[in-house]
Amino acid sequence: MNALAATSRNFRHSARILGLDSKVEKSLLIPFREIKVECTIPRDDGTLASYIGFRVQHDNARGPMKGGIRYHPEVDPDEVNALAQLMTWKSAVADIPYGGAKGGIGCNPGDLSTSELERLTRVFTQKIHDLIGVHTDVPAPDMGTNAQTMAWILDEYSKFHGHSPAVVTGKPIDLGGSLGREAATGRGVVFAAEALLAEHGKSIKGLTFAIQGFGNVGSWAAKLIHERGGKVIAVSDISGAIKNPNGIDIPELIRHKATAGSLKNFQGADSMDANELLVHECDVLIPCALGGVLNRENAADVKAKFIIEAANHPTDPDADEILAKKGVVVLPDIYANSGGVTVSYFEWVQNIQGFMWDEEQVNKTLKNYMTRAFHNIKGMCQTHDCNLRMGAFTLGVSRVARATLLRGWEA
């Protein structure tokens, strides 16, 4: 089941649990605005190339729309729609005053030079500058984009609207980016895991962890788990997978990956089949890579007692049912990976105030938000007698529905 079908199914299920009126349900599902623009740039060799840029703005009942911009050759409109919708519910679960959006350009960033990427980003910004804004829609980095991309958007937008650091988040520190933003998603995953484990009378210390994906989120989560006395016994990335039943030395692995570019040939662990990682013997499994990795083929073989969804949509609905029957507790992506958007919100707040926080304040406030959201989700689980995924969805959807009704839009 693709991301859009799964997200819509979860939404409809939560709407039924909440007893939403069908008119409200329909209005919450349809995006507020979909934008599609042509971006033509001169290549370095003098030829012209055209790319399609787009932005799906899903909902603004609770505040400006918020979501990433990705540069990827196969930008699928359905997936972008699903991710924009997911951002609406995610912001509401985290209780930050945003709605959801998502966008990008259909290109392969690896095939473009830095100056071509800059020209493309500036043309895209010229086409959408009057549809984004500090209090309208605030983009952020996503697949294939980074802090430099945000710097170009900020600069181009500011030519039209005056200096506006809060128009994008995930910026370089020197242009108003927030301290703690780089580690935010991984750190949020760890705070979420701590809240869940505490509920079961456990802590990270002494438990075993398997982590799929060792990019930004996976490596930060592994580092912070290691620091708290958790044993990371298996890790994988695009290059392969490694294991060590006594625990992998994470700081050493991070150094190895920085120099070697992959996990291969790391001395402190044995290599293993990457597919085996998901069903490896461990207490906590953290998928941090792609969507749909846990499915009806492998869910029955999962040995972890807890799954923390750091990736977007790693567990498809078939796997959800199988895991529930096995008694595996799944902490849903809509909450578990919301650390990134939460610290993006802190960055936006700092930019609007013109007053920057130190890193300690960022991390402390993030922990408060993640812990409070977990208890709010548990409250919904008890009220509606449902699992954590539906607890999170009902929490997010009910907040957006209330805001919509209070504004009088469904009339």
Side-chain angles (χ1 to χ4, degrees):
M1 181 178 286
N2 72 20
L4 181 63
T7 306
S8 299
R9 172 171 152 167
N10 287 328
F11 167 75
R12 277 194 286 272
H13 190 178
S14 60
R16 276 202 305 279
I17 291 172
L18 292 164
L20 285 190
D21 178 84
S22 62
K23 286 207 303 289
V24 177
E25 185 179 337
K26 195 172 177 190
S27 80
L28 289 179
L29 211 46
I30 298 168
F32 168 77
R33 184 192 281 140
E34 295 189 33
I35 304 151
K36 192 173 180 183
V37 294
E38 183 194 25
C39 302
T40 301
I41 58 158
R43 297 289 301 260
D44 292 344
D45 63 6
T47 60
L48 286 181
S50 286
Y51 303 91
I52 301 293
F54 56 89
R55 186 81 174 155
V56 174
Q57 299 175 328
H58 177 255
D59 190 278
N60 60 2
R62 298 181 69 254
M65 293 164 286
K66 183 94 192 74
I69 286 182
R70 53 178 53 184
Y71 288 2
H72 192 268
E74 285 144 32
V75 170
D76 171 39
D78 267 5
E79 187 183 25
V80 174
N81 232 311
L83 292 170
Q85 190 194 133
L86 208 54
M87 283 301 297
T88 299
W89 317 134
K90 186 182 289 186
S91 301
V93 169
D95 205 15
I96 53 180
Y98 286 145
K102 205 75 167 185
I105 299 176
C107 69
N108 187 348
D111 293 347
L112 298 170
S113 69
T114 303
S115 58
E116 287 169 339
L117 282 170
E118 178 176 351
R119 287 196 289 276
L120 183 56
T121 303
R122 288 182 183 279
V123 168
F124 182 49
T125 308
Q126 288 163 17
K127 297 281 177 104
I128 66 166
H129 76 87
D130 52 352
L131 297 167
I132 61 172
V134 176
H135 299 290
T136 313
D137 177 4
V138 182
D142 201 312
M143 259 179 355
T145 57
N146 55 25
Q148 179 60 69
T149 320
M150 296 305 107
W152 291 327
I153 294 175
L154 161 60
D155 183 67
E156 198 61 33
Y157 180 87
S158 296
K159 289 176 185 174
F160 295 94
H161 301 275
H163 183 57
S164 314
V167 72
V168 287
T169 59
K171 299 180 292 294
I173 301 293
D174 292 331
L175 289 176
S178 177
L179 295 170
R181 174 68 189 86
E182 191 208 340
T185 308
R187 193 178 294 276
V189 165
V190 173
F191 289 150
E194 285 180 323
L196 174 67
L197 293 169
E199 185 77 19
H200 291 264
K202 299 180 190 315
S203 71
I204 284 175
K205 192 175 166 63
L207 293 187
T208 56
F209 293 79
I211 298 179
Q212 186 203 31
F214 205 68
N216 173 279
V217 180
S219 58
W220 273 106
K223 180 177 186 289
L224 296 165
I225 286 164
H226 185 78
E227 284 170 10
R228 284 160 168 73
K231 259 203 314 198
V232 180
I233 57 168
V235 171
S236 72
D237 75 353
I238 232 160
S239 67
I242 55 172
K243 63 179 176 182
N244 181 341
N246 301 316
I248 295 166
D249 181 344
I250 297 297
E252 197 49 53
L253 180 61
I254 290 170
R255 276 193 290 276
H256 171 81
K257 185 166 179 184
T259 51
S262 77
L263 304 180
K264 280 198 177 109
N265 306 321
F266 177 65
Q267 296 304 308
D270 302 317
S271 72
M272 68 185 284
D273 176 7
N275 294 324
E276 206 261 312
L277 181 123
L278 294 164
V279 297
H280 196 61
E281 188 77 54
C282 64
D283 296 313
V284 184
L285 170 64
I286 309 183
C288 303
L290 299 166
V293 293
L294 290 166
N295 47 48
R296 63 153 70 101
E297 272 73 57
N298 59 8
D301 300 323
V302 169
K303 296 176 191 69
K305 299 163 199 70
F306 301 94
I307 295 173
I308 316 287
E309 294 188 334
N312 278 322
H313 184 58
T315 315
D316 78 14
D318 292 333
D320 250 349
E321 284 176 27
I322 296 164
L323 293 166
K325 286 197 181 89
K326 281 169 62 94
V328 178
V329 178
V330 180
L331 196 60
D333 53 357
I334 187 180
Y335 160 67
N337 67 24
S338 64
V341 69
T342 304
V343 175
S344 277
Y345 164 59
F346 300 163
E347 180 179 333
W348 181 76
V349 166
Q350 292 168 74
N351 294 155
I352 288 171
Q353 289 184 327
F355 180 81
M356 304 310 283
W357 304 355
D358 61 29
E359 192 164 353
E360 193 186 346
Q361 184 178 354
V362 172
N363 294 342
K364 190 168 146 242
T365 314
L366 173 61
K367 183 167 189 173
N368 292 344
Y369 269 76
M370 294 301 294
T371 309
R372 189 175 63 206
F374 179 76
H375 293 302
N376 289 337
I377 291 167
K378 284 300 289 185
M380 290 303 264
C381 292
Q382 281 149 8
T383 303
H384 298 292
D385 188 23
C386 60
N387 64 15
L388 287 164
R389 189 180 309 282
M390 275 306 116
F393 262 89
T394 50
L395 177 64
V397 171
S398 65
R399 280 178 171 158
V400 179
R402 272 204 306 279
T404 305
L405 292 167
L406 286 166
R407 294 183 71 149
W409 285 355
E410 58 70 65

